[in-house]
Amino acid sequence: GAVVSQHPSWVICKSGTSVKIECRSLDFQATTMFWYRQFPKQSLMLMATSNEGSKATYEQGVEKDKFLINHASLTLSTLTVTSAHPEDSSFYICSASPREAYEQYFGPGTRLTVT
Amino acid sequence: KQEVTQIPAALSVPEGENLVLNCSFTDSAIYNLQWFRQDPGKGLTSLLLIQSSQREQTSGRLNASLDKSSGRSTLYIAASQPGDSATYLCAVAGGYQKVTFGIGTKLQVIP
């Protein structure tokens, strides 16, 4: 139980384009989802927290207009990297927390390369 | 602010050796601690989750311990194998569901 999937697992896009990453909780309802990113040789850092049906809360230093997060249902959250640049190339991972529970279950991650 | 440190940053051992990876955290008010494995270019694989009320968890050749009062956790790998080569991440869950990751220990097991 408590499986979280991400799609795609890797993506290459051209500079200036936008790319969408999906995060799904497969066997539970996730009232809260989290998005993290990992730059080379650095730890995973929280980007934003989203609750179903409300706006995401972004961590300091994360541009909300660049990283659009939508949590429209209890099983799906999306992260859209708008006008991607090479410096946005990173490993993005989501996690999901079930209703009335504390644990976060992590997805496998998406590796984004912007050329 | 929670800070998670993993020592060593890299470790190279011969196959068959037992080894210990260390994780320390600054704020002992944690909810749980989790160890992950990350292969190069790949995602995270959860290895062990220890709740704050627990002292250790075991899965196969892996054993993780937690000493909340001293802010330390160890991951013990018995009889290491080349397939164990990966980066091992420690993640601490604290207040407001905030998870803080360490930078990881890169393990290489030499055949």
Side-chain angles (χ1 to χ4, degrees):
Chain A
V3 178
V4 177
S5 70
Q6 280 185 241
H7 178 80
S9 56
W10 60 270
V11 57
I12 301 173
C13 71
K14 292 187 176 181
S15 186
T17 62
S18 296
V19 61
K20 180 185 286 187
I21 302 170
E22 291 186 350
C23 175
R24 293 182 185 271
S25 56
L26 299 185
D27 52 3
F28 65 96
Q29 292 186 326
T31 51
T32 307
M33 287 185 167
F34 306 82
W35 287 94
Y36 298 80
R37 65 181 168 186
Q38 180 186 40
F39 291 109
K41 299 185 179 180
Q42 295 185 29
S43 62
L44 280 151
M45 298 295 292
L46 179 66
M47 297 175 66
T49 303
S50 72
N51 292 292
E52 185 262 339
S54 60
K55 290 184 178 180
T57 301
Y58 291 81
E59 295 297 300
Q60 192 173 10
V62 178
E63 300 173 59
K64 63 179 181 180
D65 295 329
K66 181 169 185 60
F67 299 99
L68 302 179
I69 293 173
N70 184 283
H71 190 169
S73 78
L74 286 171
T75 59
L76 174 64
S77 177
T78 59
L79 168 67
T80 301
V81 183
T82 63
S83 187
H85 288 100
E87 56 265 31
D88 298 324
S89 298
S90 185
F91 178 68
Y92 294 86
I93 190 167
C94 73
S95 68
S97 188
R99 190 193 301 272
E100 296 177 359
Y102 197 91
E103 280 83 3
Q104 290 183 36
Y105 300 98
F106 286 84
T110 296
R111 186 158 299 279
L112 169 65
T113 302
V114 184
T115 62
Chain B
K1 178 187 173 186
Q2 180 75 272
E3 293 181 5
V4 179
T5 303
Q6 291 188 245
I7 295 174
L11 181 63
S12 183
V13 300
E15 181 178 1
E17 196 162 292
N18 301 325
L19 60 100
V20 174
L21 307 181
N22 297 290
C23 172
S24 62
F25 46 95
T26 55
D27 186 350
S28 61
I30 68 170
Y31 186 78
N32 62 47
L33 183 146
Q34 197 162 359
W35 284 92
F36 293 89
R37 168 187 174 136
Q38 185 175 30
D39 292 282
K42 299 292 178 68
L44 298 185
T45 301
S46 179
L47 298 175
L48 290 165
L49 171 71
I50 311 177
Q51 301 291 352
S52 62
S53 59
Q54 298 174 323
R55 298 283 294 186
E56 66 177 342
Q57 283 286 336
T58 298
S59 176
R61 294 183 293 109
L62 305 179
N63 176 277
S65 68
L66 173 63
D67 184 344
K68 210 171 63 165
S69 61
S70 67
R72 295 179 187 276
S73 175
T74 61
L75 178 65
Y76 174 83
I77 302 176
S80 58
Q81 302 171 359
D84 295 330
S85 298
T87 295
Y88 290 80
L89 300 175
C90 170
V92 176
Y96 303 103
Q97 295 184 297
K98 190 169 178 64
V99 176
T100 304
F101 284 83
I103 202 169
T105 294
K106 185 174 183 180
L107 171 65
Q108 181 182 26
V109 181
I110 304 168

